[in-house]
Amino acid sequence: MKTTSIAAALTALSLTNLQAGAPALTENNLDAAFAAALPTEKESAWLKIPWQTDLTSARKKAAAENKPIFLWEMDGHPLGCT
Amino acid sequence: MLNMLDSSLEAFAQLPKSDPVALSEKTDDNYTRTPPTGGLVLKAYTRCLDDDLSPAGEAGTNTDTYRHNGFGAATDHLWVTADEVAGLATLTGESPLPSPLARRIARFHLVDSTRGEPPHWRPEEIRSLDLTATPAGDATVRIAGSFHLETADGSRGYTGQLLGTVSLARGATVSAVKVVALGDHWGEGRYTGGARPGKTPLAVAFTLADPKKPADRVPPQGIRWEQGYYQP
């Protein structure tokens, strides 16, 4: 019985830990939550490159400047990967 | 990666000169979307957080599984129509956020996009959505409310609050946006495996984009069906 009680207590503790979750959003923690979600400078470094998002425009520009094109792409829907 | 770029540039330099190929100007309307005229483009950044609101884990890719670990800030764009912006600018008192805008935010932007293309919420998966807009003085509108999004079988969900401000400049243009959703998310989609177990904090921050930048003109992921995006 004692073993069962301990097991039940540990299970409850485990569930409690899993379900601690997000604090309520208030005016007091709004700034912290907002800032935490923003990308860091390191994460935004790729934006320093003046990417073209239209392949036709990129091909014209590359041809005019006699430069190759570097494609950064992935599979999926053309409108589904931002 | 740098080696690949260097070798590619070297190979390109060795190519014989060729005449430019004539390019077609024709575009496929199925894949052409432009930001709403007179409307608003917002960045929507999503990130997994710890309970103390610090970013969870380290951004990057798991080198053992080559799977994105989902601990970076994911980026999407929220498009708001000119009429919806005008509606915010002419508020006289607390009002429900217009349903199309509120449902667009909920269905397409309150999602866990941190590990790739997430499933968007079906209409019936909006269990509750209560977002209001209130004039807050100094040409500011306060956005606040709560949401509960959950699949029928309960295997995936997101519940929490949304709070922040929209600042208006002269001419009813928006000069700043600072709105964030915070709540507990659980579950994963077909293409977004590897979610943290249980219910864990997820934040979605909305801020003003600059549509002059090509990267800020990338269409929202949820706009594959344009009418469905604007009238969700």
Side-chain angles (χ1 to χ4, degrees):
Chain A
M1 177 61 83
K2 189 174 181 181
T3 304
T4 304
S5 299
I6 292 172
L10 288 174
T11 302
L13 180 62
S14 173
L15 287 173
T16 301
N17 285 340
L18 283 176
Q19 294 172 354
L25 181 62
T26 67
E27 300 288 353
N28 291 334
N29 62 11
L30 167 64
D31 286 350
F34 182 80
L38 299 181
T40 62
E41 188 174 343
K42 183 180 177 184
E43 287 173 326
S44 302
W46 65 277
L47 284 169
K48 293 176 182 173
I49 296 171
W51 298 97
Q52 299 286 313
T53 55
D54 179 276
L55 183 58
T56 302
S57 299
R59 291 180 68 187
K60 286 180 179 175
K61 187 175 172 67
E65 299 177 12
N66 191 34
K67 289 181 178 177
I69 296 174
F70 173 69
L71 288 174
W72 181 15
E73 55 184 320
M74 62 168 285
D75 58 346
H77 194 285
L79 295 180
C81 306
T82 58
Chain B
M1 176 62 83
L2 285 175
N3 288 340
M4 185 273 285
L5 289 173
D6 286 340
S7 62
S8 298
L9 285 170
E10 198 172 310
F12 179 80
Q14 302 301 320
L15 291 174
K17 291 282 183 188
S18 60
D19 294 330
V21 176
L23 298 175
S24 170
E25 296 291 338
K26 187 178 177 184
T27 57
D28 187 337
D29 290 342
N30 286 322
Y31 303 113
T32 305
R33 301 284 184 272
T34 53
T37 305
L40 200 59
V41 176
L42 302 183
K43 307 291 283 194
Y45 296 114
T46 305
R47 191 193 292 276
C48 298
L49 303 181
D50 285 331
D51 295 352
D52 63 359
L53 299 185
S54 62
E58 291 290 329
T61 300
N62 184 318
T63 53
D64 293 327
T65 62
Y66 292 99
R67 172 175 271 176
H68 196 294
N69 63 24
F71 291 144
T75 303
D76 197 3
H77 295 111
L78 165 62
W79 285 1
V80 184
T81 68
D83 286 347
E84 290 165 346
V85 174
L88 290 177
T90 55
L91 279 175
T92 55
E94 180 176 313
S95 304
L97 201 64
S99 176
L101 177 56
R103 291 173 64 82
R104 188 180 318 135
I105 292 171
R107 288 191 58 198
F108 301 113
H109 297 285
L110 299 184
V111 293
D112 181 6
S113 55
T114 59
R115 295 176 311 285
E117 290 186 85
H120 294 127
W121 301 107
R122 298 170 182 271
E124 63 272 21
E125 291 171 347
I126 300 179
R127 302 293 184 93
S128 68
L129 181 63
D130 176 24
L131 303 181
T132 61
T134 310
D138 294 336
T140 300
V141 175
R142 182 176 184 270
I143 310 291
S146 62
F147 56 88
H148 177 184
L149 310 162
E150 187 173 348
T151 56
D153 65 2
S155 63
R156 183 168 47 84
Y158 188 26
T159 62
Q161 298 95 38
L162 185 141
L163 186 62
T165 54
V166 175
S167 302
L168 299 157
R170 277 189 297 180
T173 56
V174 173
S175 58
V177 173
K178 181 180 180 180
V179 174
V180 65
L182 176 66
D184 289 319
H185 187 282
W186 67 96
E188 57 195 27
R190 184 176 180 183
Y191 305 112
T192 56
R196 293 182 291 175
K199 297 183 176 181
T200 53
L202 183 78
V204 184
F206 299 94
T207 186
L208 206 53
D210 180 2
K212 295 191 192 78
K213 298 177 182 173
D216 283 15
R217 295 175 65 85
V218 174
Q221 187 195 38
I223 205 170
R224 296 177 186 188
W225 180 37
E226 194 164 21
Q227 184 184 348
Y229 182 76
Y230 285 119
Q231 298 293 327

